[in-house]
Amino acid sequence: MKAGVEGGSKELRFTVRKARPEEIYIVMDINQRTLPENYWYGFYKFLLDNWGEAFLVAETSEGDIIGYAMSRVERTRDPVLLGLKSELENDKSVLSKVIDAIRSQLAEERPVGHLVSIAVLPEYRRKGVGSALLAKTIEVMDRVYNVDAIYLEVRVSNAPAIRLYEKFGFKKVRVWRGYYRDGEDAYIMVKRLVD
Ligand SMILES: CC(C)(COP(=O)(O)OP(=O)(O)OC[C@H]1O[C@@H](n2cnc3c(N)ncnc32)[C@H](O)[C@@H]1OP(=O)(O)O)[C@@H](O)C(=O)NCCC(=O)NCCS
């Protein structure tokens, strides 16, 4: 995937491609510089070994890695994670909630993509890199992993990321109280890929 994007006064040329195993340390470095949610080497390796097509890096024409996105595939019968219903809609009656709960217990498990982490180095933001990483993630999840939906967690205060996700059709479907280690709540956002 080739993308050339006008950003500020100078043009940023970059590509989005699969990460190579030796690039895990670069991805770890970007993650530590940009997000408080950090992971150990083995977790990156696990994602790369199992869902390598969806472990992506953005590389400039000068060969610098400036962003990444990494995902996994899970199986669930949770209709919220599958994008079949939202908990943020108008309150339903107790009876329809009970019916929903029974229905989801009886439903079969389906594959769902989980965007674990995405980040772009601060000096390269607002130039389309995050969009290119997210677009490729959605494409790979659909074409390679055949998932029904993609979901992610995002801090309720992270307006830039929420706007990016909404631009790509993700919807807020659940609030996860105290999800983050510092106590902040997360929105679960979902994009359904099949009818
Ligand atoms: C979220 C992030 C990946 C976006 O990357 P990016 O390369 O700047 O994204 P893009 O340039 O493709 O922006 C796409 C859209 O997202 C929204 N957006 C991005 N940054 C924004 C900001 N600071 N304020 C408001 N909207 C913003 C806009 O709608 C933007 O489109 P526009 O530039 O046409 O208005 C980046 O800000 C980042 O790395 N943040 C820190 C890590 C993080 O929070 N990751 C998400 C964890 S859930």
Side-chain angles (χ1 to χ4, degrees), residues 5 34-35 37 68 115-122 124-133 152-155 158-165 167-168 180:
V5 180
T34 54
L35 282 165
E37 290 72 48
Y68 71 88
L115 176 58
V116 175
S117 187
I118 179 170
V120 174
L121 286 175
Y124 294 100
R125 287 182 193 162
R126 257 3 235 283
K127 296 173 191 293
V129 179
S131 296
L133 286 163
L152 56 89
E153 299 90 9
V154 59
R155 285 177 182 269
N158 193 346
I162 292 169
R163 277 184 70 172
L164 168 67
Y165 300 139
K167 229 173 165 174
F168 279 81
Y180 292 99

